[in-house]
Amino acid sequence: FFLTMFRNSYQLLPQGDSTGPRTPGLFVDTDGFTHTRHHKGLSFDNMPNISQNDFTDTSQGWLSWICNLIVTFLVYICTLITFPITGWFVLKTVPNYQRIVVFRLGRVCPPKGPGIVLVLPLIDQWQRVDLRTRAFNIPPCQVTTQDGGVLSVGADIQFRIWNPVMSVVSVQDLNASTRMTAQNALTYSLTKKTVREIQTERVKLGEYLGMDINELTRHWGLEVDRVELTLGSLLKAPQGGPSGPLIMPPSVPGLEGLAGPLQQLAMHFLVTHATVFAAVVTPLSVEELLGSVKLLLSENLVQQVGACYQFDISSEDGQRHRYYVDLSQGNGSSGAGSLNSEPDVTLSMSDTDLLALFQGKLRPFAAYTSGRIKIQGDVKSAMKLEELINLLKK
């Protein structure tokens, strides 16, 4: 009887189709990737069509469906009878930026929320999913380029979940899987480029990389919003000799849009005069940096930023110093010591990271996601420091 009752509920998963096309890779035609047989054999083949918001489970037999209906009805009755007590356990508050994914008797249901959500005891298993944008960074790794060069390249990536059910059903550890996929896509895509292409087309390559990661992870219910490549040092020159292409320093932004003779001239000028620029505009200490900041303080800058910052700086000899930059009132102020009032943001870092931050060598977002800067307070206000950093660059 039981075998007849559940014969339609439990079936063997289909085996992978070895004759079907495989993943086409990056920067190539993706028609094969969207082939209907590509995902045959995955663990969620027999689940409802979640991506189309269709939660009808066609694999469930009618006797199993009747038993599920009876059990669910009995649980509803018991919950209503004991409601003054069970209300503390079955009612969940879901904010706008979250959804609850419920498995009722093992079968996935439509996501619930926002607002007050009813979760039945005993038969419901549920999990919260955060829909807000998340960020992580790929640590700099060595990439061997097409022309034989070795370059240190990392990336800062922002992504968000657009389908909470798919993010729970399709992958076990979403964060780890996304990191691994993004790192593999980064390494694979850059090995097809030359050193010059990577350094001069950094923004465009970041956009392409985001599209490729989206194509690989769209079945997990997430979407990559932004990819920014972070270029490190050139570990090995490309096999071009003196006649090879000129290499633009990775820390110099703003030349991505130049092409042809203008680009060659700009790169030649930067390479020959880089040491002169460094000697003129690069502060050698935190005190010199504060002196440069004081020259840039203005009422206009205060209106753009509107926040006060406290810097807890640790030096190489183990000593700790405190500095502040107040851009919340008047023409602004900066100096050594602590603020008289409570700061909007407190940033903890080393003195070398502070100099690199205000020299433009270290981006605030990249430093935060990599852990080189610890932020206490509003992260959005901390990112407004780029206004001051851009003025120092000019």
Side-chain angles (χ1 to χ4, degrees):
F1 171 76
F2 289 102
L3 293 176
T4 304
M5 176 178 173
F6 295 103
R7 67 179 183 274
N8 295 325
S9 300
Y10 303 97
Q11 300 176 358
L12 291 176
L13 291 176
Q15 300 300 315
D17 187 359
S18 59
T19 62
R22 301 179 64 84
T23 304
L26 307 177
F27 297 105
V28 296
D29 187 15
T30 58
D31 291 340
F33 183 78
T34 58
H35 197 282
T36 55
R37 293 184 297 171
H38 175 75
H39 294 284
K40 186 176 180 182
L42 296 182
S43 60
F44 49 89
D45 284 341
N46 284 350
M47 293 186 179
N49 192 7
I50 297 171
S51 61
Q52 303 297 330
N53 293 324
D54 181 10
F55 292 86
T56 304
D57 194 347
T58 57
S59 66
Q60 186 178 16
W62 65 274
L63 286 179
S64 176
W65 179 80
I66 292 176
C67 289
N68 290 347
L69 190 63
I70 293 174
V71 171
T72 303
F73 177 75
L74 293 177
V75 173
Y76 266 113
I77 294 299
C78 294
T79 303
L80 290 176
I81 293 176
T82 59
F83 181 73
I85 299 176
T86 57
W88 294 98
F89 307 100
V90 300
L91 296 179
K92 309 296 180 182
T93 302
V94 182
N96 284 323
Y97 56 84
Q98 286 184 352
R99 297 294 184 271
I100 285 184
V101 178
V102 178
F103 291 86
R104 181 160 295 168
L105 293 173
R107 299 184 183 275
V108 67
C109 301
K112 299 179 181 294
I116 302 297
V117 172
L118 175 65
V119 179
L120 297 179
L122 302 179
I123 63 173
D124 281 355
Q125 294 180 343
W126 57 278
Q127 179 176 337
R128 290 183 183 267
V129 178
D130 199 320
L131 304 181
R132 291 176 292 185
T133 299
R134 311 179 193 181
F136 67 90
N137 75 306
I138 300 177
C141 55
Q142 296 183 9
V143 176
T144 303
T145 59
Q146 190 179 31
D147 54 357
V150 179
L151 189 65
S152 177
V153 184
D156 301 321
I157 298 178
Q158 295 179 354
F159 72 96
R160 61 183 178 86
I161 295 175
W162 63 271
N163 192 315
V165 178
M166 291 178 64
S167 68
V168 174
V169 171
S170 303
V171 62
Q172 182 177 10
D173 191 336
L174 184 66
N175 292 330
S177 300
T178 305
R179 285 175 179 269
M180 182 180 64
T181 302
Q183 185 165 6
N184 292 339
L186 171 68
T187 305
Y188 180 80
S189 61
L190 296 186
T191 53
K192 296 184 176 182
K193 301 295 179 180
T194 63
V195 172
R196 183 190 176 196
E197 288 175 338
I198 294 174
Q199 293 178 335
T200 58
E201 300 177 4
R202 180 173 58 90
V203 177
K204 185 185 297 184
L205 290 177
E207 294 175 357
Y208 287 158
L209 182 60
M211 295 169 60
D212 291 324
I213 298 174
N214 276 328
E215 187 67 23
L216 295 171
T217 60
R218 61 189 175 91
H219 297 281
W220 300 344
L222 65 86
E223 179 182 8
V224 175
D225 292 331
R226 177 172 173 263
V227 176
E228 181 179 352
L229 296 181
T230 55
L231 303 183
S233 58
L234 182 63
L235 304 179
K236 179 183 178 183
Q239 298 174 357
S243 60
L246 292 175
I247 305 301
M248 184 181 67
S251 61
V252 179
L255 297 185
E256 294 86 354
L258 298 180
L262 284 178
Q263 188 183 64
Q264 297 286 343
L265 180 61
M267 289 190 293
H268 176 73
F269 180 78
L270 286 173
V271 170
T272 54
H273 297 279
T275 55
V276 178
F277 289 159
V280 173
V281 301
T282 303
L284 299 178
S285 65
V286 178
E287 287 72 17
E288 293 181 7
L289 175 64
L290 287 176
S292 302
V293 169
K294 288 181 180 180
L295 298 176
L296 299 174
L297 298 178
S298 64
E299 189 174 348
N300 186 28
L301 180 61
V302 171
Q303 292 178 356
Q304 292 179 1
V305 179
C308 52
Y309 304 91
Q310 183 76 56
F311 297 90
D312 290 338
I313 307 302
S314 58
S315 57
E316 295 181 355
D317 55 3
Q319 297 183 358
R320 303 190 66 86
H321 306 277
R322 307 195 76 182
Y323 304 93
Y324 69 90
V325 175
D326 189 358
L327 298 175
S328 61
Q329 57 184 351
N331 292 325
S333 61
S334 64
S338 302
L339 286 165
N340 296 327
S341 58
E342 186 71 19
D344 296 317
V345 181
T346 301
L347 301 98
S348 302
M349 68 190 82
S350 64
D351 52 356
T352 55
D353 286 339
L354 178 65
L355 292 174
L357 181 68
F358 279 91
Q359 291 168 7
K361 299 178 181 179
L362 181 65
R363 299 291 297 274
F365 178 78
Y368 173 61
T369 54
S370 62
R372 295 175 64 177
I373 294 180
K374 296 181 179 179
I375 298 177
Q376 295 180 357
D378 187 13
V379 177
K380 185 177 180 181
S381 297
M383 296 300 119
K384 290 183 179 180
L385 273 176
E386 281 205 69
E387 298 291 340
L388 179 58
I389 295 173
N390 292 334
L391 288 177
L392 282 173
K393 289 181 182 179
K394 297 178 182 180

